[in-house]
Amino acid sequence: MDLQSTIERIYSELKPFALQGKVASYIPALAKVSPNKLAICVHTNDGDVYRVGDVCEPFSIQSISKVFGFTMAYKMLGGEIWKRLGKEPSGNSFNSLVQLEYEQGIPRNPFINAGAIVVSDILLSLYPNPQQELLEFVRRIADEPSIKYNLEVAKSEKDTGYRNAALAYFMKSFGNIQNPVEDVLDFYFLQCSLEMSALCLSKSFQYLANHGVIPSTNEQILTMSQAKRINALMITSGLYNESGDFAYRVGLPAKSGVGGGIVGIFPKKLSLCVWSPPLNEFGNSLAGIEAFERFTTYTGDSVF
Ligand code: GLN
């Protein structure tokens, strides 16, 4: 199987799909991104890298950052974390409020906004300077010291993030937010504003494709069991209320963000990132999903 020609073939087939989507505009600073950007990057556990398109251009990773925040919190707390969070798919949009009242302020999973806001609260309690710790963690796993937060994007989201504020205050009323809501939201928006290229994102997910260990350095980020469980959460909840359709069409654990990125892994083999900013109605990259579907179809590789 020649992975380079496979991703080049997929790249050439994608343009019509991107044109049907819409770049996220509910965070005003994101609306400036060109809808024509397109990148596909693969890292194999053996150390090979395959790439095509705008793979070196940093973009807003948004909800993909939920995997990094959760990894840091889960590593510290282990199974204790499930007192504050669920591990079921929500079946609702990523910023939905409806389940939270029925479920006493416990978010369905760590990959919807409410869940990631609880994780931000946990990290604020666990680390003296979680903003810096998270940045250093991401720089290390991506092997890229220049990765930054985009303060303009974070501010733009803070200025308009009424729904996330509602989620945080609502959970506070149930006692599931321990720090001041303002601090939790500031950290959550900052985390979402991380900018990374498709090349860095694909590299940064390698520990999830390799039993919790970064293949190039042998650094253990998580135990084998913890990595397995994060992959299970990604397959059930990584694309919000489109996770079932994504599992059906693609069959890989993956996480999306409204910046148009999707990163996924094939266990013990590779990690894959696709970036195309135009989104579908679920807030997932339209061409990104197509690319993932074609990748598992053309290579014959999926977890199923
Ligand atoms: N920062 C975005 C928000 O909270 C992240 C959502 C996403 O990428 N789906 O709305």
Side-chain angles (χ1 to χ4, degrees):
M1 175 181 60
D2 175 355
L3 276 179
Q4 184 61 34
S5 43
T6 304
I7 63 171
E8 280 171 17
R9 173 181 173 196
I10 296 169
Y11 182 88
S12 68
E13 293 169 350
L14 285 184
K15 287 278 177 202
F17 294 97
L19 297 177
Q20 295 162 29
K22 267 192 79 192
V23 174
S25 57
Y26 76 99
I27 302 172
L30 290 186
K32 296 179 189 164
V33 176
S34 162
N36 298 318
K37 298 291 177 187
L38 188 54
I40 308 177
C41 186
V42 177
H43 279 78
T44 68
N45 291 6
D46 295 337
D48 297 320
V49 185
Y50 303 92
R51 47 160 106 176
V52 56
D54 304 304
V55 288
C56 293
E57 188 167 326
F59 61 92
S60 194
I61 73 166
Q62 293 296 321
S63 278
I64 297 168
S65 66
K66 290 170 175 152
V67 177
F68 303 138
F70 182 74
T71 295
M72 284 178 61
Y74 189 38
K75 188 178 169 69
M76 294 281 270
L77 290 188
E80 280 288 296
I81 205 163
W82 302 121
K83 292 185 178 152
R84 311 261 316 261
L85 289 165
K87 38 180 140 51
E88 294 294 338
S90 74
N92 285 305
S93 63
F94 61 81
N95 55 8
S96 170
L97 280 146
V98 290
Q99 268 161 354
L100 272 181
E101 180 149 36
Y102 296 123
E103 299 179 0
Q104 313 284 307
I106 305 290
R108 273 285 172 108
N109 66 67
F111 297 152
I112 50 174
N113 288 10
I117 291 169
V118 168
V119 171
S120 294
D121 182 52
I122 291 171
L123 292 174
L124 277 172
S125 301
L126 287 175
Y127 292 92
N129 188 351
Q131 298 81 354
Q132 194 57 31
E133 294 275 352
L134 179 70
L135 188 59
E136 276 164 21
F137 172 66
V138 171
R139 285 174 173 172
R140 200 165 80 242
I141 59 176
D143 194 23
E144 181 48 71
S146 69
I147 292 170
K148 294 195 290 287
Y149 295 118
N150 181 325
L151 301 181
E152 187 203 337
V153 170
K155 177 166 185 327
S156 176
E157 187 165 11
K158 183 180 167 133
D159 291 345
T160 54
Y162 310 117
R163 241 172 200 276
N164 287 318
L167 289 166
Y169 280 108
F170 200 49
M171 291 190 289
K172 181 97 177 161
S173 78
F174 287 101
N176 201 17
I177 294 290
Q178 293 169 357
N179 292 281
V181 166
E182 281 274 303
D183 296 352
V184 176
L185 287 171
D186 281 351
F187 180 39
Y188 170 74
F189 295 141
L190 193 67
Q191 169 193 295
C192 291
S193 83
L194 271 170
E195 286 190 336
M196 293 169 72
S197 64
L199 187 69
C200 286
L201 273 171
S202 160
K203 168 93 186 154
S204 70
F205 265 51
Q206 280 199 294
Y207 69 100
L208 292 168
N210 191 43
H211 291 324
V213 176
I214 300 176
S216 51
T217 60
N218 274 329
E219 185 188 355
Q220 177 138 29
I221 302 296
L222 294 173
T223 65
M224 188 194 290
S225 158
Q226 287 171 328
K228 178 183 80 176
R229 288 176 171 163
I230 293 188
N231 288 331
L233 291 166
M234 287 203 292
I235 215 158
T236 51
S237 306
L239 277 85
Y240 323 110
N241 44 337
E242 201 177 11
S243 300
D245 192 59
F246 189 82
Y248 178 81
R249 288 172 60 187
V250 177
L252 293 179
K255 185 74 203 81
S256 61
V258 291
I262 305 180
V263 201
I265 63 110
F266 182 81
K268 294 187 254 176
K269 204 160 184 183
L270 56 82
S271 51
L272 162 70
C273 179
V274 182
W275 176 42
S276 167
L279 308 178
N280 64 17
E281 79 257 39
F282 300 103
N284 295 319
S285 169
L286 228 150
I289 291 178
E290 279 298 325
F292 267 84
E293 180 170 14
R294 282 157 202 256
F295 186 82
T296 53
T297 304
Y298 296 162
T299 59
D301 275 347
S302 91
V303 297
F304 306 113

